[in-house]
Amino acid sequence: MENYLFLKFIHLLGVVVFLGNIIVTGWWKFMADRTGNHRIIAFAQRQVTLTDFVFTAGGVVLVAIGGIGNAMLHHMDYLHIKWMAWGYWQFIASGVIWVVVLIPVQIAQAKMARTFENGKSIPPEYWKLGKIWYVFGTLATLLPASNIYWMVFKPI
């Protein structure tokens, strides 16, 4: 029972850190971009990149250790139990979006932000990449957020 509760705690802590960070980071970036202020945008962009590496990645590790650890502890085949498999593959899909699209976009935007931090004009490419980040970021947030449904209701 102690192992189950510890792994459950790790899993839930990971969910809070992971989802909390991606939701707040998206909001923070959106609001910073809306200001049009070079310094605010540059600062926010650096923090988006930093918090993704610290909190999003940290949350992913905790979610995976807690969730897969508990499934293994109870000899549950998380790839074939439908509600677990749906959650697992949505989590993986979100991760692929982060690795393939979002991280490269935010690194490119952070590099650009260094050039306009001191008042130079923000290049059109920054805004173009921002639109990509918002679209794919929303998708990458909705996928793991929907996992809460699968984990609580276990519909199939």
Side-chain angles (χ1 to χ4, degrees):
M1 188 61 147
E2 288 179 29
N3 290 337
Y4 164 75
L5 292 176
F6 177 73
L7 289 169
K8 185 176 182 178
F9 169 77
I10 293 296
H11 187 66
L12 291 173
L13 178 63
V15 169
V16 170
V17 170
F18 175 74
L19 277 175
N21 184 65
I22 61 178
I23 291 168
V24 170
T25 299
W27 178 257
W28 189 20
K29 178 176 170 34
F30 175 75
M31 295 307 286
D33 283 353
R34 282 188 53 189
T35 69
N37 183 307
H38 300 85
R39 286 192 175 127
I40 292 172
I41 293 169
F43 176 77
Q45 189 59 54
R46 283 192 309 273
Q47 296 308 307
V48 164
T49 305
L50 177 64
T51 59
D52 263 4
F53 283 111
V54 175
F55 297 106
T56 302
V60 165
V61 170
L62 294 174
V63 167
I65 289 171
I68 293 172
N70 247 336
M72 292 173 68
L73 179 68
H74 296 289
H75 309 289
M76 299 172 81
D77 187 354
Y78 61 90
L79 295 177
H80 292 96
I81 297 170
K82 289 184 181 181
W83 63 270
M84 289 178 133
W86 271 93
Y88 177 82
W89 290 114
Q90 285 181 308
F91 193 65
I92 295 296
S94 178
V96 168
I97 292 168
W98 280 100
V99 170
V100 173
V101 179
L102 297 172
I103 291 173
V105 164
Q106 53 195 62
I107 289 172
Q109 284 189 303
K111 287 179 183 176
M112 284 181 220
R114 283 188 214 112
T115 67
F116 65 72
E117 183 173 23
N118 293 320
K120 292 182 182 176
S121 64
I122 300 172
E125 181 69 13
Y126 177 88
W127 300 114
K128 180 181 172 190
L129 288 172
K131 288 178 184 175
I132 293 168
W133 192 86
Y134 290 123
V135 169
F136 283 93
T138 299
L139 180 60
T141 301
L142 292 175
L143 285 167
S146 70
N147 280 342
I148 294 171
Y149 169 79
W150 294 106
M151 298 300 119
V152 171
F153 293 100
K154 303 167 179 53
I156 51 177

